Amino acid sequence: MENKNITINLNALPCTAVTVSKKSGHRLLCMDLDAAPAVGQWQDGMWHLALMAWERKEVGSRGDTHFLKPNPSRAERERMTEQEVRDLPIVGNMRPVPQQQRPKAEPLPQTDDPAFFEERDDDLPF
């Protein structure tokens, strides 16, 4: 299994807006949790955003292999029309994490020569 880089466009999430806090001046992402598709609350009170990764037919120009869309619950999906489900926005993408190339280890010599295993005169402490 290969690892993936995931990027989510926070502005593309449904029912979200970016605003500035009057108190701190920090930018805030605000989301209407009751209206946003694919947003729910677990029994322990934690909020979650469910996404589905769809494999692209062709790798994107930046190496993207999948795109991400909100994944509404079954009940939400049943309330939506087919067109509304299709029109859910692409909110992100996935691409493989580049694997660093490690130099190949040299193979160990294969020998039956007992001299190969004799002690050597070197400065190793053992």
Side-chain angles (χ1 to χ4, degrees):
M1 183 171 159
E2 70 181 10
N3 298 322
K4 303 279 187 192
N5 281 325
I6 299 172
T7 305
I8 297 176
N9 178 352
L10 298 175
N11 291 327
L13 292 171
C15 304
T16 60
V18 177
T19 187
V20 176
S21 168
K22 292 178 183 173
K23 185 175 180 180
S24 69
H26 294 174
R27 290 169 289 172
L28 307 172
L29 178 69
C30 299
M31 177 180 272
D32 184 343
L33 297 173
D34 295 320
V39 172
Q41 192 172 21
W42 286 319
Q43 290 178 347
D44 63 3
M46 300 292 288
W47 289 91
H48 66 276
L49 170 66
L51 299 174
M52 175 71 77
W54 296 91
E55 191 169 3
R56 294 175 55 109
K57 291 178 183 172
E58 294 180 13
V59 175
S61 61
R62 293 169 37 209
D64 304 342
T65 58
H66 294 74
F67 60 89
L68 304 171
K69 284 187 145 196
N71 186 21
S73 68
R74 177 181 287 173
E76 287 178 277
R77 231 179 357 266
E78 287 173 354
R79 286 192 296 269
M80 299 168 77
T81 66
E82 261 185 64
Q83 190 61 44
E84 287 173 321
V85 172
R86 267 196 304 269
D87 289 345
L88 286 169
I90 294 174
V91 298
N93 60 55
M94 294 172 43
R95 66 178 168 265
V97 173
Q99 299 294 317
Q100 292 181 341
Q101 296 294 329
R102 294 184 183 179
K104 289 190 175 182
E106 292 184 27
L108 295 174
Q110 300 295 316
T111 181
D112 292 332
D113 181 7
F116 179 81
F117 299 103
E118 290 179 5
E119 288 187 33
R120 297 187 181 151
D121 186 24
D122 57 26
D123 60 351
L124 293 177
F126 47 87

